[in-house]
Amino acid sequence: IKTPIVILNFKTYLESSGSKALNLAKALESVSDETGISMIAAVQTVDINRIVEETNIPILAQSIDAISPGGHTGSNLIENFIENGISGTLINHSENRLTLADIDVIVKSTNEKNLLSVVCTNNVSTSMAAAVLNPSFVAVEPPELIGSGISVSQAEPEVVEGTVLNVSNANKDVKVLCGAGISTGDDMKAALDLGAEGVLLASGIILAENPKTALLDLVSKI
Ligand code: G3P
């Protein structure tokens, strides 16, 4: 996938659920078409199929369970996500943390199936550990800044810089994204200047009065 990239994590906001999720995904699609910048949506499981059918942007799952086919009531199977058209998945978001062993299982199975894997981490050392598992991306997000409106790339640049340096030492094939509090063009530019290859964000766009305008602002300084 061409970098820089923007991954919008739809989480479970009402503003990014159901028919509103589809509208938001269409806004991402139109900004991607207009600017040529890769826009990806990480949507709730129940919204995946409809958004895959009605847009042309890559769609990620927000989480995949480390299970094999069989008796796992309430879980979601990777083979079924693939049949429903996902291009990859977030793994280990701070709002949905997994064990190291489960992260390893899921990264391995996404690699086998040629899917994008975005392992979310909370600091520099967990980012290095995640890089060794060989995902497509590590996305570092200090938990205290998530949903705060205070951008990691401006408030804690050393976290982004330290992650870029240490991830590349640990595994040069892994790209770094950053997230938490990112919403403006200046936030995104600061992230790229620090060596990140894109951003993972949510509330700054999802809760904006006009998400499409907010997305255009986000990529205006690249
Ligand atoms: O996954 C992205 C996320 O955790 C950052 O959230 O609302 O600070 O952009 P937000």
Side-chain angles (χ1 to χ4, degrees), residues 9 11 13 93 95 141 145-148 180-182 200-203:
N9 179 0
K11 302 195 176 183
Y13 290 101
H93 195 278
E95 294 160 3
E141 303 194 318
L145 296 180
I146 292 177
S148 69
I182 289 180
L200 173 62
L201 79 171
S203 55

